[in-house]
């Protein structure tokens, strides 16, 4: 009688093992095996981290193994089981790998195909075609689109983390509880004695040090010491938390009526303003998107304010970006003065603080939430709905969607929901953040996610003109490494553009992103179909880069740049000044967040800047969904290329007082998971 040896690997997560009944059936091209009991209660098989083997005898050769079916039948109590993979040794000595990496919950069955990736047109038998179709039908019922707010990208249809499919939940919900994590952060930072002191102002800037964790030789300490200086203000537009706003200015907008006479003292080269514009030395940061957004009014005891400033920046002869003019509103007039470096020190300082506060809101809500978290969730939902586990693009993207839907669901449950944590300390809480996303969606295009094109669109692509724009340089290095890796994988499975065009599943994936995820907004310009392999490479690079590198660039520096409250105020308690010469230190301190809001903000930026426990960084593919040797070789080369990028960045940073490391591959998690 033919004998098959089946090896089953159980996951190493807590509670991954099971004491339930486990059955296995093999489906071959010629025959099916009988349903075989592998484990039953008290056998002590399938324990956490175990690898168990079983010999199964059958009456006749099954032919080529097309599918295996695993069933879990509940014994007594709720006892989930995580299966990593199953290997079958045939009577001919061949080994067939069946990647699983799935949770079995209650009474559950999963049907697996072997690990070879296949496009839909490559499936020939009725059995595998039917399995492919049924898998997607089940997924589309499980992963449903839902509109969280009008004008937002669509999200998963789940009100709470516990309602999500078990396969996309966090291993431990406690580890991503925002309330718990923020409270822990506040306790660890030793600021819990201040956290309930709302409406209580600090006495002066030095008073903020009472809640500042002074860590020697760190960026946060350097920010605290130099935040008032113009060079530090300008530097953050290039390499701070939000390095995506600054744009080369080729023409002064009518709404910002600065003149050469007004700016002459700040222009070092002896050129006119018009000549400086033509020379490419003038840049602008315009926060028009904040204009008209409703400020937080959830606390009747504290009025909070927003502004939509415009800031003109100048590249001086030392290649430093320096602020030379700030207008705190979008409409020029006598009650909206243009502040200059030559003004009274407190007028100029407060104007810069207002720009930093507006930048904080745009960073948190647009750059971070919308353009990494929400769009990555769209890609993830569409992937689960349209690509079966056997599709090579599913295998490629899955590590870069890990925990993204879960973290976003938890955020909607606790953080950015009505009366959520976001309302406690942020000037756009109470609904302003929703308005900000809705407004930003009108300029959110597919091409703006293509890193090199986004840099070029802002006129920031010339390395000679801006030699210290490390966000651009490192981002381009990582983008190139990802593109090269994706190109190799695409070429393994697609031999021509025609093969891509006939892949109904990848076309459905792209269409689902545009038509449902982005709600087919006319202005988004997301593709509804892909015609060439080059287009597919770019699209997959966008998905991977956005979820990994770009999220890392705008997330993990939050404590560095935002922990010193005056440098990045999450709210302002006095309106923007409408005249010069009326501001003093007391006015500025009373404008800044009170003690309670400062502590909540500090806890937030600390918690958001931490890597997950057992973090998987870019290029680390511990779950082997691909079994083909060419793909595994491509992964090794990818990791080697990333290691070279890491080395280049490390060498550049050596000895720098302000190192830039957020896009160093050894600090880029694979996915949006925090």
């Amino acid at each position: 009688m033919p004998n098959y040896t089946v090896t089953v690997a159980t996951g190493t997560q807590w509670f991954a093992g099971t004491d339930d009944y486990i059955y296995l059936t093999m489906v071959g091209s010629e025959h099916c095996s009988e349903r075989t009991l592998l484990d039953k209660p008290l056998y002590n098989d399938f324990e956490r981290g175990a690898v168990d083997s079983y010999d199964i005898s059958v009456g006749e050769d099954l032919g080529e193994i097309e599918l295996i079916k695993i069933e879990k039948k509940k014994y007594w109590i709720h006892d989930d089981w995580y299966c990593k993979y199953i290997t079958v040794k045939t009577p001919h000595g061949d080994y067939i790998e069946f990647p699983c990496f799935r949770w079995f919950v209650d009474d559950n069955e999963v049907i697996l195909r072997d690990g070879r990736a296949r496009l839909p047109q490559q499936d020939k038998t009725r059995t595998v075609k039917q399995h492919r179709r049924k898998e997607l039908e089940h997924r589309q019922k499980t992963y449903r689109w839902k509109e969280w707010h009008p004008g937002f990208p669509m999200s998963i249809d789940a009100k709470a983390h516990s309602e999500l499919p078990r396969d996309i939940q966090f291993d431990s919900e406690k580890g991503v509880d925002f309330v718990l994590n923020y409270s822990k952060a506040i306790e660890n930072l030793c600021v819990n004695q201040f956290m309930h002191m709302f409406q209580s102002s600090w006495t002066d800037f030095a008073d903020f040090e009472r809640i500042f964790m002074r860590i020697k030789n760190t960026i946060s300490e350097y920010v605290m010491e130099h935040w008032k200086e113009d060079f530090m203000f300008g530097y953050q537009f290039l390499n701070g938390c939000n390095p995506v706003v600054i744009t080369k200015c080729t023409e002064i907008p009518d709404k910002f009526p600065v003149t050469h006479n007004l700016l002459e003292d700040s222009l070092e080269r002896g050129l006119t303003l018009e000549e400086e514009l033509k020379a490419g030395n003038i840049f602008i940061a315009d926060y028009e998107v904040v204009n008209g957004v409703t400020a937080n009014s959830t606390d009747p005891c504290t009025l909070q304010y927003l502004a939509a400033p415009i800031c003109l920046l100048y590249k001086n002869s030392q290649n430093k970006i320096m602020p030379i003019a700030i207008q705190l509103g979008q409409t020029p007039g006598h009650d909206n003065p243009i502040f200059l470096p030559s003004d009274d020190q407190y007028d100029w300082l407060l104007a810069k603080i207002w720009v930093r506060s507006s930048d904080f809101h745009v960073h948190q809500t647009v750059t971070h939430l919308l353009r990494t978290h929400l769009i990555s969730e769209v890609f993830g939902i569409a992937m689960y709905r349209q690509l079966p586990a056997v599709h090579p693009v599913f295998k490629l993207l899955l590590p870069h969607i890990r925990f993204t839907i879960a973290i976003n669901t938890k955020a909607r449950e606790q953080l950015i929901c009505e009366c959520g944590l976001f309302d406690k300390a942020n000037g756009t809480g109470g609904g302003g953040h929703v308005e900000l996303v809705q407004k930003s969606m009108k300029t959110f295009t597919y091409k703006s996610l293509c890193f090199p094109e986004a840099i070029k669109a802002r006129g920031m692509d010339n390395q000679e003109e801006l030699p210290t724009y490390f966000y651009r340089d490192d981002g381009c290095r990582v983008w190139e490494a990802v593109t090269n890796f994706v190109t190799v994988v695409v070429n393994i499975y697609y031999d021509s553009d025609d093969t891509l065009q006939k892949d109904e599943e990848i076309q459905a994936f792209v269409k689902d992103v545009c038509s449902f995820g982005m709600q087919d907004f006319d202005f988004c310009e997301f593709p509804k179909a892909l015609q060439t392999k080059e287009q597919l490479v770019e699209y997959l690079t966008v998905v991977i880069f956005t979820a990994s590198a770009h999220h890392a660039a705008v997330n993990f520096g939050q404590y560095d740049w935002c922990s010193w409250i005056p440098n990045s105020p999450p709210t302002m308690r006095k309106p923007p000044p409408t005249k010069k010469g009326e501001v003093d230190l007391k006015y500025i301190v009373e404008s800044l967040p009170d003690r309670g809001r400062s502590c909540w903000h500090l806890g937030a930026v600390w918690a958001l800047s931490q890597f997950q426990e057992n973090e998987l960084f870019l290029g680390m593919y511990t779950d082997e969904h691909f079994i083909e040797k060419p793909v595994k070789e491509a992964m090794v080369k990818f990791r080697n290329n990333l290691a070279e990028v890491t080395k280049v960045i490390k060498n550049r940073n050596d000895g720098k007082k302000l190192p830039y490391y957020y896009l160093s591959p050894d600090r880029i998690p694979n996915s949006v998971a925090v």
Side-chain angles (χ1 to χ4, degrees):
M1 295 177 66
N3 187 73
Y4 292 79
T5 301
V6 175
T7 302
V8 183
T10 297
T12 57
Q13 304 95 319
W14 288 108
F15 309 114
T18 186
D19 205 27
D20 287 347
Y21 296 95
I22 304 293
Y23 298 89
L24 180 135
T25 305
M26 293 180 286
V27 179
S29 57
E30 302 294 332
H31 303 282
C32 294
S33 71
E34 293 184 0
R35 183 171 180 252
T36 303
L37 177 64
L38 299 183
D39 187 36
K40 62 183 179 179
L42 308 180
Y43 261 42
N44 294 325
D45 284 355
F46 295 172
E47 293 184 340
R48 174 174 172 248
V51 178
D52 302 295
S53 294
Y54 306 88
D55 290 325
I56 299 175
S57 296
V58 297
E60 49 195 331
D61 195 300
L62 303 178
E64 183 178 347
I65 305 295
E66 295 186 327
L67 306 169
I68 57 173
K69 180 168 74 171
I70 311 101
E71 301 170 76
K72 185 175 86 71
K73 297 296 181 183
K74 191 164 67 173
Y75 165 54
W76 181 246
I77 59 172
H78 179 76
D79 190 18
D80 297 350
W81 173 51
Y82 186 85
C83 177
K84 291 177 64 178
Y85 62 83
I86 295 174
T87 302
V88 176
K89 181 183 178 183
T90 70
H92 308 291
D94 298 323
Y95 287 86
I96 308 171
E97 298 178 49
F98 293 84
C100 183
F101 305 105
R102 299 276 300 277
W103 282 99
F104 289 70
V105 181
D106 296 328
D107 290 342
N108 187 209
E109 77 170 37
V110 171
I111 299 174
L112 300 175
R113 293 182 60 175
D114 72 74
R116 291 172 294 172
R118 296 179 186 82
L119 303 178
Q121 57 265 46
Q122 294 171 330
D123 280 343
K124 304 302 180 184
T125 70
R126 176 176 170 273
T127 300
V128 294
K129 286 181 178 180
Q130 186 181 54
H131 169 259
R132 196 169 190 132
R133 177 176 53 80
K134 286 186 174 181
E135 181 184 7
L136 289 181
E137 287 174 353
H138 173 72
R139 292 249 208 91
Q140 287 162 13
K141 292 176 182 176
T142 304
Y143 296 85
R144 302 175 304 277
W145 294 111
K146 184 178 181 180
E147 184 180 66
W148 188 52
H149 283 292
F152 267 52
M154 296 284 268
S155 54
I156 195 76
D157 185 6
K159 294 179 181 178
H161 179 268
S162 58
E163 294 181 9
L164 294 173
R166 183 67 181 90
D167 286 326
I168 62 170
Q169 291 183 22
F170 282 98
D171 295 334
S172 169
E173 190 171 355
K174 183 188 291 186
V176 73
D177 186 298
F178 285 108
V179 175
L180 182 64
N181 288 348
Y182 281 24
S183 299
K184 279 183 179 178
I186 289 168
E187 185 176 346
N188 291 339
L189 294 166
C190 303
V191 297
N192 41 350
Q193 71 267 34
F194 299 111
M195 64 181 293
H196 299 298
M197 297 175 67
F198 290 87
Q199 291 84 51
S200 174
S201 295
W202 304 96
T203 56
D204 54 28
F205 295 136
D207 205 17
F208 281 97
E209 288 193 54
R210 296 175 67 183
I211 62 165
F212 182 72
M213 181 181 284
R214 194 173 185 122
I215 307 171
K216 284 288 183 184
N217 301 317
T218 58
I219 290 176
S220 57
E221 184 185 51
Y222 195 85
V223 169
M224 184 203 71
E225 293 172 346
H226 297 278
W227 71 281
K228 293 181 185 178
E229 299 170 40
D230 286 355
F231 93 89
M232 174 59 78
F233 177 86
Y235 178 86
Q236 292 177 75
F237 286 101
L238 298 179
N239 301 310
C241 267
N242 196 30
V244 300
V245 175
I246 185 172
T247 302
K248 180 180 283 188
C249 185
T250 55
E251 184 179 359
I252 303 295
D254 293 338
K255 63 182 181 179
F256 194 19
V258 296
T259 63
H260 174 74
N261 289 339
L262 203 62
L263 304 178
E264 186 174 9
D265 290 346
S266 296
L267 306 180
E268 297 181 355
R269 296 177 177 86
L271 303 176
T272 65
L273 176 59
E274 188 63 32
E275 289 169 337
E276 293 282 16
L277 285 165
K278 289 180 180 177
N281 295 324
I282 305 295
F283 301 84
I284 194 167
D286 188 349
Y287 297 90
E288 183 179 12
V289 69
V290 189
N291 195 37
V293 170
T294 305
N296 191 337
S297 60
T298 58
D299 180 358
C301 297
T302 303
L303 293 176
Q304 299 177 63
Y305 299 90
L306 300 172
I310 310 170
C311 179
L312 204 66
L313 300 149
Y314 175 63
K315 186 187 74 171
N316 68 14
S317 53
Q318 288 80 44
N319 283 324
K320 291 181 179 178
I321 297 295
M322 307 289 277
I324 57 174
I326 294 172
Q327 180 178 285
L328 296 180
Q330 292 287 310
T331 305
H334 69 277
D335 60 347
N336 188 18
I338 296 174
F339 293 94
L340 304 169
S342 56
D343 289 340
D344 177 84
Q345 62 168 325
Y346 290 126
D347 282 343
W348 181 235
L349 181 60
L350 183 57
K352 290 191 293 180
I353 288 172
W354 267 107
V355 173
R356 294 295 307 137
S357 184
S358 299
D359 189 78
F360 173 83
H361 297 308
V362 172
H363 164 257
Q364 286 288 10
T365 305
V366 182
T367 309
H368 183 205
L369 174 62
L370 172 61
R371 297 179 65 86
T372 63
H373 277 259
L374 298 185
I375 190 59
S376 291
E377 181 176 4
V378 167
F379 290 135
I381 297 169
M383 180 197 75
Y384 278 110
R385 288 173 53 82
Q386 305 299 343
L387 300 177
V390 73
H391 198 289
V393 172
F394 180 89
K395 293 171 179 280
L396 177 67
L397 295 186
L398 188 60
H400 303 286
I401 303 299
R402 179 176 179 256
F403 297 147
T404 299
I405 300 173
I407 194 69
N408 286 1
T409 302
K410 201 68 181 175
R412 287 187 288 268
E413 188 181 349
Q414 291 184 321
L415 185 62
I416 54 177
C417 56
E418 189 175 351
C419 301
L421 292 173
F422 199 80
D423 290 356
K424 287 187 178 293
N426 290 280
T428 54
H433 61 300
V434 173
E435 298 171 25
L436 203 45
V437 169
Q438 290 166 333
K439 292 182 72 173
S440 300
M441 279 291 287
K442 295 175 182 177
T443 56
F444 186 11
T445 64
Y446 168 73
K447 283 299 182 182
S448 70
L449 294 174
C450 300
F451 189 82
E453 293 190 37
I455 294 288
K456 190 172 183 178
R458 291 189 288 114
M460 303 292 289
D461 53 314
N462 191 317
Q463 194 169 8
E464 291 184 5
E465 288 184 359
L466 289 169
T468 59
Y469 195 13
F470 306 129
Y471 161 79
R472 171 203 59 208
D473 300 340
D474 297 352
C476 286
R477 291 184 181 104
V478 177
W479 175 273
E480 183 180 6
V482 173
T483 299
N484 291 341
F485 170 56
V486 171
T487 299
V488 173
V489 175
V490 165
N491 286 335
I492 290 170
Y493 296 102
Y494 294 92
D495 57 1
S496 66
D497 294 341
D498 183 62
T499 303
L500 169 65
Q501 293 163 18
K502 290 177 179 176
D503 182 349
E504 296 175 350
E505 290 169 350
I506 201 70
Q507 302 296 344
F509 163 63
V510 171
K511 186 176 181 182
D512 212 17
V513 168
C514 180
S515 298
F516 288 92
M518 294 298 288
Q519 302 199 57
D520 215 2
F521 292 130
D522 293 337
F523 39 76
C524 78
E525 300 173 0
F526 275 65
K528 291 184 180 178
L530 300 175
Q531 302 299 326
T532 67
K533 293 198 299 178
E534 186 178 27
Q535 290 175 348
L536 177 60
V537 167
E538 180 187 75
Y539 197 96
L540 299 180
T541 301
V542 162
V543 177
I544 294 171
F545 185 88
T546 301
S548 57
H550 206 243
H551 178 256
V554 302
N555 180 74
F556 292 105
Q558 291 190 70
Y559 188 79
D560 287 346
W561 296 102
C562 304
S563 57
W564 180 246
I565 308 292
N567 185 62
S568 197
T571 191
M572 297 291 279
R573 295 182 296 140
K574 286 187 178 294
T578 56
K579 294 180 181 178
K580 296 185 181 184
E582 297 184 348
V583 170
D584 57 13
L585 176 60
K586 183 174 182 290
Y587 185 94
I588 294 178
V589 172
E590 289 177 352
S591 297
L592 292 169
D594 55 41
R595 296 168 190 250
R597 287 179 175 82
S598 296
C599 292
W600 276 105
H601 168 77
L602 204 59
V605 298
W606 173 271
L608 291 171
S609 300
Q610 307 306 305
F611 295 121
Q612 288 280 349
E613 188 178 355
N614 301 320
E615 189 72 82
L616 296 177
F617 293 97
L618 189 58
M620 293 172 61
Y621 301 117
T622 54
D623 292 350
E624 294 192 12
H625 293 277
F626 284 106
I627 66 169
E628 293 92 330
K629 186 178 179 181
V631 183
K632 291 185 176 183
E633 290 173 346
M635 288 176 175
V636 171
K637 187 174 181 180
F638 182 38
R639 284 191 287 272
N640 290 340
N641 289 342
L642 292 173
E644 285 299 313
V645 174
T646 299
K647 185 177 179 181
V648 168
I649 293 171
K650 184 178 184 299
N651 289 340
R652 181 199 65 212
N653 284 336
D654 280 350
K656 284 191 181 295
K657 293 179 180 178
L658 279 176
Y660 186 81
Y661 44 69
Y662 308 115
L663 281 166
S664 182
D666 60 342
R667 298 175 63 92
I668 299 175
N670 266 331
S671 63
V672 177
V674 65

PDB file of all heavy atoms in Angstrom, residues 81 95 133 192 245 309 400 432 443 583:
ATOM      1  N   TRP A  81      -5.982  27.312  16.785  1.00  0.00           N
ATOM      2  CA  TRP A  81      -4.739  26.643  16.383  1.00  0.00           C
ATOM      3  C   TRP A  81      -4.159  27.395  15.196  1.00  0.00           C
ATOM      4  O   TRP A  81      -4.879  27.752  14.257  1.00  0.00           O
ATOM      5  CB  TRP A  81      -5.021  25.188  16.006  1.00  0.00           C
ATOM      6  CG  TRP A  81      -3.837  24.466  15.415  1.00  0.00           C
ATOM      7  CD1 TRP A  81      -2.580  24.389  15.922  1.00  0.00           C
ATOM      8  CD2 TRP A  81      -3.811  23.715  14.185  1.00  0.00           C
ATOM      9  NE1 TRP A  81      -1.774  23.636  15.110  1.00  0.00           N
ATOM     10  CE2 TRP A  81      -2.500  23.203  14.033  1.00  0.00           C
ATOM     11  CE3 TRP A  81      -4.766  23.406  13.218  1.00  0.00           C
ATOM     12  CZ2 TRP A  81      -2.125  22.421  12.950  1.00  0.00           C
ATOM     13  CZ3 TRP A  81      -4.395  22.625  12.137  1.00  0.00           C
ATOM     14  CH2 TRP A  81      -3.088  22.134  12.009  1.00  0.00           C
ATOM     15  N   TYR A  95       8.952  15.654  -1.998  1.00  0.00           N
ATOM     16  CA  TYR A  95       8.414  16.463  -0.901  1.00  0.00           C
ATOM     17  C   TYR A  95       7.583  17.609  -1.496  1.00  0.00           C
ATOM     18  O   TYR A  95       8.056  18.344  -2.373  1.00  0.00           O
ATOM     19  CB  TYR A  95       9.536  17.039  -0.036  1.00  0.00           C
ATOM     20  CG  TYR A  95      10.212  16.017   0.834  1.00  0.00           C
ATOM     21  CD1 TYR A  95      11.268  15.244   0.341  1.00  0.00           C
ATOM     22  CD2 TYR A  95       9.801  15.806   2.155  1.00  0.00           C
ATOM     23  CE1 TYR A  95      11.896  14.293   1.131  1.00  0.00           C
ATOM     24  CE2 TYR A  95      10.431  14.859   2.958  1.00  0.00           C
ATOM     25  CZ  TYR A  95      11.472  14.108   2.437  1.00  0.00           C
ATOM     26  OH  TYR A  95      12.090  13.171   3.226  1.00  0.00           O
ATOM     27  N   ARG A 133     -11.894  29.728  -7.229  1.00  0.00           N
ATOM     28  CA  ARG A 133     -13.104  30.557  -7.264  1.00  0.00           C
ATOM     29  C   ARG A 133     -13.789  30.602  -5.901  1.00  0.00           C
ATOM     30  O   ARG A 133     -14.192  31.669  -5.426  1.00  0.00           O
ATOM     31  CB  ARG A 133     -14.066  30.012  -8.326  1.00  0.00           C
ATOM     32  CG  ARG A 133     -15.398  30.748  -8.403  1.00  0.00           C
ATOM     33  CD  ARG A 133     -16.255  30.211  -9.547  1.00  0.00           C
ATOM     34  NE  ARG A 133     -16.419  28.767  -9.472  1.00  0.00           N
ATOM     35  CZ  ARG A 133     -17.294  28.152  -8.671  1.00  0.00           C
ATOM     36  NH1 ARG A 133     -18.062  28.854  -7.852  1.00  0.00           N
ATOM     37  NH2 ARG A 133     -17.409  26.840  -8.681  1.00  0.00           N
ATOM     38  N   ASN A 192       2.722  61.404  34.764  1.00  0.00           N
ATOM     39  CA  ASN A 192       1.332  61.147  35.122  1.00  0.00           C
ATOM     40  C   ASN A 192       0.781  62.131  36.143  1.00  0.00           C
ATOM     41  O   ASN A 192      -0.421  62.301  36.254  1.00  0.00           O
ATOM     42  CB  ASN A 192       1.129  59.694  35.591  1.00  0.00           C
ATOM     43  CG  ASN A 192       2.235  59.199  36.478  1.00  0.00           C
ATOM     44  OD1 ASN A 192       3.256  59.864  36.616  1.00  0.00           O
ATOM     45  ND2 ASN A 192       2.047  58.042  37.078  1.00  0.00           N
ATOM     46  N   VAL A 245       5.994  68.767   2.521  1.00  0.00           N
ATOM     47  CA  VAL A 245       5.229  69.993   2.277  1.00  0.00           C
ATOM     48  C   VAL A 245       6.032  71.012   1.482  1.00  0.00           C
ATOM     49  O   VAL A 245       5.505  71.677   0.585  1.00  0.00           O
ATOM     50  CB  VAL A 245       4.758  70.608   3.614  1.00  0.00           C
ATOM     51  CG1 VAL A 245       4.069  71.953   3.375  1.00  0.00           C
ATOM     52  CG2 VAL A 245       3.809  69.664   4.344  1.00  0.00           C
ATOM     53  N   PRO A 309      -1.233  78.837   7.704  1.00  0.00           N
ATOM     54  CA  PRO A 309      -0.161  79.785   7.339  1.00  0.00           C
ATOM     55  C   PRO A 309       0.482  79.486   5.995  1.00  0.00           C
ATOM     56  O   PRO A 309       0.334  78.398   5.424  1.00  0.00           O
ATOM     57  CB  PRO A 309       0.846  79.601   8.476  1.00  0.00           C
ATOM     58  CG  PRO A 309       0.632  78.209   8.961  1.00  0.00           C
ATOM     59  CD  PRO A 309      -0.833  77.922   8.777  1.00  0.00           C
ATOM     60  N   HIS A 400       3.495  42.889   3.660  1.00  0.00           N
ATOM     61  CA  HIS A 400       3.448  44.346   3.717  1.00  0.00           C
ATOM     62  C   HIS A 400       2.047  44.867   4.073  1.00  0.00           C
ATOM     63  O   HIS A 400       1.827  46.084   4.109  1.00  0.00           O
ATOM     64  CB  HIS A 400       3.938  44.927   2.390  1.00  0.00           C
ATOM     65  CG  HIS A 400       5.313  44.458   2.041  1.00  0.00           C
ATOM     66  ND1 HIS A 400       6.442  44.921   2.684  1.00  0.00           N
ATOM     67  CD2 HIS A 400       5.748  43.509   1.161  1.00  0.00           C
ATOM     68  CE1 HIS A 400       7.509  44.300   2.199  1.00  0.00           C
ATOM     69  NE2 HIS A 400       7.115  43.437   1.281  1.00  0.00           N
ATOM     70  N   GLY A 432     -12.416  67.943  13.335  1.00  0.00           N
ATOM     71  CA  GLY A 432     -11.560  68.670  12.403  1.00  0.00           C
ATOM     72  C   GLY A 432     -10.670  67.755  11.599  1.00  0.00           C
ATOM     73  O   GLY A 432     -10.408  68.001  10.411  1.00  0.00           O
ATOM     74  N   THR A 443      -6.856  66.187  -3.483  1.00  0.00           N
ATOM     75  CA  THR A 443      -5.554  66.328  -4.157  1.00  0.00           C
ATOM     76  C   THR A 443      -4.718  65.052  -4.017  1.00  0.00           C
ATOM     77  O   THR A 443      -3.525  65.065  -4.317  1.00  0.00           O
ATOM     78  CB  THR A 443      -4.769  67.513  -3.568  1.00  0.00           C
ATOM     79  OG1 THR A 443      -4.634  67.334  -2.150  1.00  0.00           O
ATOM     80  CG2 THR A 443      -5.487  68.828  -3.837  1.00  0.00           C
ATOM     81  N   VAL A 583       2.846  90.824  21.414  1.00  0.00           N
ATOM     82  CA  VAL A 583       3.093  89.492  21.961  1.00  0.00           C
ATOM     83  C   VAL A 583       4.275  89.540  22.921  1.00  0.00           C
ATOM     84  O   VAL A 583       5.290  90.197  22.649  1.00  0.00           O
ATOM     85  CB  VAL A 583       3.387  88.487  20.822  1.00  0.00           C
ATOM     86  CG1 VAL A 583       3.872  87.167  21.368  1.00  0.00           C
ATOM     87  CG2 VAL A 583       2.145  88.288  19.974  1.00  0.00           C
TER      88      VAL A 583
END
